[in-house]
Amino acid sequence: MVPFWARLRHVKWFKSVLNGVNATAIGLVGAACVILWEAAIGTAADAMVFVLAGTLAVVYNIGAPWVVLSGGIFGAILSREALSLGQVEWCDLVNGGEP
């Protein structure tokens, strides 16, 4: 199987196909992030954890286990049971405080 893929890597049309598949995969991951954002973000604290995890993964290239661990710790600190920071409804912030 490996020699087959090694030969295909040098075929021009196959390289173009792989570039298209990669672009499609990136678009689908981006769409999934938007869908997750709408479904999972209820408070400003949720948004902060989401942005922190994304920044650690994309900008700083931190491994997934560390991103999950840091997101969990940050989320626990911001939870209602701990410091209750950022527990303002997200829609209230976006709408300028109006319901």
Side-chain angles (χ1 to χ4, degrees), residues 73-96:
I73 292 170
F74 193 59
I77 291 171
L78 296 178
S79 70
R80 294 184 201 280
E81 290 78 24
L83 296 178
S84 192
L85 298 174
Q87 294 299 326
V88 177
E89 292 297 320
W90 181 251
C91 293
D92 291 344
L93 291 176
V94 173
N95 296 330

Side-chain angles (χ1 to χ4, degrees), residues 44-88:
D46 297 338
M48 288 186 272
V49 172
F50 190 87
V51 170
L52 172 78
T55 302
L56 288 176
V58 175
V59 176
Y60 295 108
N61 201 22
I62 305 293
W66 295 109
V67 171
V68 171
L69 181 66
S70 62
I73 292 170
F74 193 59
I77 291 171
L78 296 178
S79 70
R80 294 184 201 280
E81 290 78 24
L83 296 178
S84 192
L85 298 174
Q87 294 299 326
V88 177

Side-chain angles (χ1 to χ4, degrees), residues 1 4 6 11 17 22-23 26 29 31 33-36 38 41-42 45 51 67 79-80 84 97:
M1 236 11 222
F4 173 74
V11 177
V17 168
N22 285 339
I26 290 170
V29 168
C33 286
V34 170
I35 291 169
L36 282 174
E38 293 172 349
I41 304 303
V51 170
V67 171
S79 70
R80 294 184 201 280
S84 192

